[in-house]
Amino acid sequence: MDVRRRPPRPPVATNTNAAFSGNHHHLHHRKKSPTPKASDALPLPLYLTNAIFFTLFFSVAYFLLHRWRDKIRSHTPLHVVTLSELGAIVSLIASFIYLLGFFGIGFVQSFIARASIHDSWDLDDDAVPVDAAYIPLPKIMDPPPPQLISSEEDEDIVKSVVNGTVPSYALESQLENCHRAALIRREAVQRLTGRSLVGLPLEGFDYESILGQCCEMPVGYVQIPVGIAGPLLMNGCEYSVPMATTEGCLVASTNRGCKAIYASGGATGILLRDGMTRAPVVRFPTAKRAADLKFFLENPLNFDTLSVFFNKSSRFARLQGIQCSIAGRNLYMRFSCSTGDAMGMNMVSKGVQNVLDYLQTDFPDMDVIGISGNFCSDKKPAAVNWIEGRGKSVVCEAIISEEVVRKVLKTTVPALVELNMLKNLAGSAVAGALGGFNAHAANIVSAVFIATGQDPAQNIESSHCITMMEAVNDGKDLHVSVTMPAIEVGTVGGGTQLASQSACLNLLGVKGASKESPGSNARLLATIVAGSVLAGELSLMSAIAAGQLVKSHMKYNRSSRDISNLAS
């Protein structure tokens, strides 16, 4: 954040309004000082000086060229010069230096004029009435925060940031101390805004760990409580699921779902697909040329060659396929590849760039418009992700016994089946939902994402989910499943390297990259996310079916403290 503010114009003292009115006519008729120009430093008028030096330059150049031609004809060494030639060389250099500076005079004049406009109150203080010129800074609305700056050196740096001399974004590189940079930036922001940041923690965080990878220009960090739901019994293993959230009832509700799944023998999670996508957009002179490239990319005979160039980007990147779509003379190419234990956006982007460089040889008329053409599609709802999948595609199921539905979930199998049909299926269809055929998958996905260091913005496509509920075993038990085609997670890179998020990954047993089977940690994390969503869906739907939703939120999601007393 490069925040710069011009210092306010100092007010001119005035005794009374009458005295100011008496001098009003004089103030408006006072002659302004002329704006200084760079050419004022010349002894002669600018046009005359320019004419002299132009004539001198070309005359001396002609004289020297004529003399050097004669020396070449007479075989006289060029380095032997007479006094007249020496004077001509000096004159040529002097006139050249002047002419070089002449072309910069206009720039210097505009620079000085611009500076004089910005500082006009210093040159012509009395030309504007005091009341119209002086605009006071807004008053500090919060009580002054405690002083954290202790040394005079840091105080000087804070003042430099406030007045714009030192850019805020450059503090880390100049100070070579990330914590000190955050402290100084924080104080500068408080002074610039007149608002206190008391309550936003500064201490207790490793600012070195986020430099160049997670967050720029930090002034502190936000505390989000982390709760544990579980154990979630899935595929024969138990997982304690960390959830970072500020929504009351969410962890408790997911925990109840985990209890119901555990009591019924556990859930089963299946990974259907694993491939991150990136789709550049290119343009050709004609639609026919765009179609030629489409046919080339979709030809199986060319796949191995394209894979060689794509896979050079990483030892984990392996090209899986290319899906093309044409819009006029524009071609969208959706590359899909495996990315190991990384979420993989940077990896697939580098591979795509390698392929584009290769294609440029055979298709020189191809104009690359953008490395991403939104056919990927990243961080936005899109049917292509819902249908084709992106990241990890997972389906998770469980059979909940009639007894558990009645005793743990406090409802019945027929009520859940009917509610799911009318709410998650028919209701979402009436709303025109895209991938939103569920009760609240985004709640669980976001909480697990934040706790484990995933990109929260990718919750959009990662929360694509359809929840199905059916009565089985002669209508006594409940078969419940969630199908999620685009869970985008990783266990290396980005926020997964931070201490708190790394601890949550370690709790799940998926910290870092798997050495035995690259990519298995990220795939397991995606399966755990789907299993957690299954638990959350099961519990919330049961609360709605039993008419307990409002009652539960009023009990667990509302503060019992007297807010009026806290405010006073």
Side-chain angles (χ1 to χ4, degrees):
M1 178 188 61
D2 187 7
V3 183
R4 301 180 180 178
R5 175 175 291 179
R6 187 176 65 187
R9 174 182 182 271
V12 180
T14 177
N15 294 332
T16 63
N17 291 336
F20 172 76
S21 300
N23 293 326
H24 184 75
H25 179 77
H26 170 72
L27 289 171
H28 277 279
H29 288 80
R30 180 176 176 180
K31 185 178 180 180
K32 292 185 178 181
S33 302
T35 302
K37 297 181 179 180
S39 59
D40 294 343
L42 299 175
L44 296 175
L46 183 60
Y47 74 93
L48 187 57
T49 307
N50 289 342
I52 292 174
F53 276 94
F54 266 110
T55 304
L56 179 63
F57 177 81
F58 289 108
S59 300
V60 170
Y62 176 79
F63 171 75
L64 289 174
L65 290 174
H66 183 75
R67 292 289 298 167
W68 289 338
R69 184 189 63 180
D70 292 343
K71 286 186 177 183
I72 292 173
R73 289 178 175 178
S74 61
H75 302 288
T76 304
L78 295 178
H79 64 272
V80 178
V81 295
T82 63
L83 187 61
S84 60
E85 292 173 345
L86 183 61
I89 293 174
V90 173
S91 300
L92 181 69
I93 295 174
S95 58
F96 175 78
I97 292 174
Y98 170 81
L99 293 175
L100 185 65
F102 165 73
F103 290 105
I105 289 227
F107 168 78
V108 174
Q109 287 180 345
S110 64
F111 182 80
I112 293 177
R114 187 162 59 247
S116 66
I117 292 173
H118 289 172
D119 299 332
S120 59
W121 58 77
D122 296 327
L123 299 175
D124 197 16
D125 243 356
D126 297 328
V128 182
V130 175
D131 292 344
Y134 175 58
I135 303 176
L137 288 173
K139 295 181 179 180
I140 295 180
M141 302 180 66
D142 294 338
Q147 182 62 257
L148 300 177
I149 303 300
S150 56
S151 68
E152 293 184 2
E153 181 183 2
D154 286 355
E155 178 64 26
D156 292 339
I157 298 175
V158 170
K159 292 179 180 178
S160 299
V161 174
V162 170
N163 63 32
T165 305
V166 175
S168 177
Y169 63 81
L171 288 174
E172 279 79 6
S173 60
Q174 293 187 9
L175 299 177
E176 298 183 349
N177 185 322
C178 292
H179 179 274
R180 184 183 172 199
L183 173 64
I184 291 173
R185 182 181 297 110
R186 178 190 182 102
E187 182 64 26
V189 168
Q190 291 183 134
R191 296 185 188 182
L192 282 168
T193 62
R195 298 287 185 177
S196 172
L197 286 175
V198 172
L200 181 69
L202 176 69
E203 304 298 332
F205 189 83
D206 182 13
Y207 293 95
E208 302 284 347
S209 65
I210 64 174
L211 181 63
Q213 69 172 9
C214 289
C215 181
E216 298 77 34
M217 295 177 284
V219 295
Y221 58 96
V222 173
Q223 295 172 312
I224 302 179
V226 177
I228 300 296
L232 170 66
L233 179 59
M234 185 174 60
N235 295 339
C237 299
E238 296 181 4
Y239 302 97
S240 296
V241 182
M243 302 175 66
T245 180
T246 57
E247 179 182 346
C249 288
L250 180 59
V251 178
S253 178
T254 307
N255 188 68
R256 184 175 74 150
C258 291
K259 180 181 179 181
I261 293 172
Y262 195 101
S264 299
T268 302
I270 305 100
L271 184 84
L272 305 174
R273 179 183 177 277
D274 180 10
M276 182 50 64
T277 62
R278 174 61 85 196
V281 53
V282 299
R283 177 183 295 164
F284 285 90
T286 63
K288 182 182 182 305
R289 288 292 292 159
D292 290 341
L293 178 55
K294 179 180 185 295
F295 298 145
F296 177 86
L297 294 174
E298 294 177 345
N299 188 339
L301 299 177
N302 298 322
F303 183 79
D304 290 341
T305 302
L306 296 172
S307 297
V308 170
F309 287 93
F310 186 96
N311 296 345
K312 289 193 303 182
S313 62
S314 169
R315 60 193 177 101
F316 298 110
R318 293 295 177 267
L319 182 64
Q320 298 173 341
I322 307 173
Q323 179 184 3
C324 297
S325 181
I326 283 185
R329 58 194 182 104
N330 305 302
L331 178 64
Y332 298 82
M333 303 168 284
R334 192 172 190 257
F335 291 77
S336 176
C337 80
S338 60
T339 57
D341 283 305
M343 184 270 290
M345 283 301 304
N346 293 332
M347 193 184 300
V348 66
S349 296
K350 289 190 291 184
V352 168
Q353 188 61 58
N354 290 342
V355 174
L356 291 176
D357 294 340
Y358 162 72
L359 293 175
Q360 202 82 57
T361 303
D362 292 332
F363 295 87
D365 54 344
M366 178 181 73
D367 183 14
V368 179
I369 303 300
I371 191 70
S372 175
N374 274 6
F375 188 41
C376 313
S377 173
D378 186 41
K379 300 175 183 175
K380 54 191 72 67
V384 67
N385 293 337
W386 176 240
I387 298 170
E388 299 292 339
R390 188 172 195 254
K392 278 72 174 169
S393 299
V394 181
V395 60
C396 190
E397 65 176 351
I399 296 179
I400 311 300
S401 67
E402 180 185 24
E403 182 182 7
V404 171
V405 172
R406 187 179 69 255
K407 291 184 177 180
V408 177
L409 300 177
K410 311 298 182 184
T411 186
T412 64
V413 172
L416 283 173
V417 172
E418 182 181 33
L419 177 64
N420 186 74
M421 180 187 66
L422 295 178
K423 171 182 167 63
N424 290 341
L425 304 182
S428 296
V430 170
L434 177 60
F437 298 89
N438 58 81
H440 70 149
N443 250 339
I444 291 87
V445 172
S446 295
V448 178
F449 269 33
I450 295 173
T452 57
Q454 311 305 313
D455 189 339
Q458 289 183 322
N459 163 68
I460 296 175
E461 59 266 41
S462 296
S463 296
H464 282 349
C465 171
I466 182 168
T467 301
M468 302 292 292
M469 292 185 180
E470 302 173 68
V472 295
N473 300 330
D474 297 327
K476 294 182 179 180
D477 301 330
L478 176 73
H479 180 277
V480 56
S481 67
V482 292
T483 305
M484 307 179 69
I487 302 178
E488 299 169 355
V489 294
T491 58
V492 296
T496 65
Q497 303 178 68
L498 301 180
S500 301
Q501 289 81 345
S502 180
C504 291
L505 289 171
N506 187 57
L507 178 65
L508 293 171
V510 295
K511 176 182 176 181
S514 173
K515 297 181 180 179
E516 295 78 16
S517 177
S520 61
N521 280 354
R523 291 191 288 269
L524 177 55
L525 178 58
T527 307
I528 294 172
V529 171
S532 303
V533 170
L534 180 70
E537 289 287 283
L538 189 59
S539 183
L540 177 60
M541 292 293 289
S542 298
I544 296 175
Q548 297 174 341
L549 179 64
V550 176
K551 181 180 178 181
S552 298
H553 273 268
M554 293 304 296
K555 181 178 179 180
Y556 298 107
N557 199 20
R558 291 292 182 271
S559 174
S560 60
R561 291 181 295 177
D562 190 341
I563 303 300
S564 60
N565 290 338
L566 291 176
S568 61

